[in-house]
Amino acid sequence: MSSTGTTISATSTSRINPMTLELSRLWAIAATTIGALVPNLVIWLLGLAAGGSFEMTDAGKTSSVAPGGVVILTVVPILIGMTLAALISLKWVAVIRPAEVIGALLPLATIALTIQADFDTASTIALSVMHVVIAVAVVAGLEAMRRPLVRAAHV
């Protein structure tokens, strides 16, 4: 058996194991987006069930951030960040590590903005947890994107 046959077999096996997940750039972007959006919508529903209104008042005007805000504020930043990392990684694979740090820190740092807004307690907690979900999803998605690129560079 050739070494190529062994490598293909090992690659196929590693794609099944969640601990060694490897995704193409496009699939990593899609999986990260869906992998953050679905839990965030569930968290929104749980927040509603807990009595959250997801409304805030700014300059005397009441605005709701859900469900449209949850969708937009989950999907758009992930698509922009993941796409940017994927495009830069075409020339510089090492960019994915700093992107993982940025992708974790930005959503976690913006929890402070949620806390400062005048949301009710249930909404504040739910929205804060959504930021954590985004951070985890982005790091996992970028890592899944990085693994096959690094492996391919070492073959």
Side-chain angles (χ1 to χ4, degrees):
M1 175 180 266
S2 73
S3 63
T4 305
T6 304
T7 303
I8 291 171
S9 174
T11 301
S12 299
T13 304
S14 67
R15 289 181 192 271
I16 296 169
N17 184 345
M19 297 305 294
T20 58
L21 182 63
E22 297 180 358
L23 298 172
S24 69
R25 288 174 179 93
L26 183 59
W27 278 109
I29 294 167
T32 301
T33 304
I34 294 166
L37 180 59
V38 171
N40 279 355
L41 289 173
V42 170
I43 293 166
W44 168 67
L45 290 172
L46 292 172
L48 283 177
S53 67
F54 294 90
E55 293 179 343
M56 61 178 248
T57 306
D58 186 27
K61 182 181 175 191
T62 302
S63 302
S64 176
V65 297
V70 171
V71 173
I72 290 169
L73 294 172
T74 298
V75 171
V76 172
I78 290 173
L79 286 177
I80 291 170
M82 292 288 294
T83 301
L84 185 61
L87 290 173
I88 294 171
S89 75
L90 290 169
K91 294 289 183 185
W92 184 42
V93 173
V95 75
I96 296 176
R97 284 294 193 208
E100 287 176 348
V101 173
I102 294 166
L105 292 180
L106 281 179
L108 295 176
T110 56
I111 291 173
L113 299 174
T114 301
I115 293 170
Q116 291 173 356
D118 69 343
F119 291 108
D120 56 76
T121 303
S123 298
T124 300
I125 292 169
L127 290 167
S128 297
V129 172
M130 289 179 200
H131 286 245
V132 175
V133 168
I134 292 170
V136 171
V138 167
V139 171
L142 286 168
E143 185 61 23
M145 181 190 304
R146 186 190 75 81
R147 288 178 179 181
L149 298 175
V150 170
R151 188 174 41 77
H154 289 98
V155 172

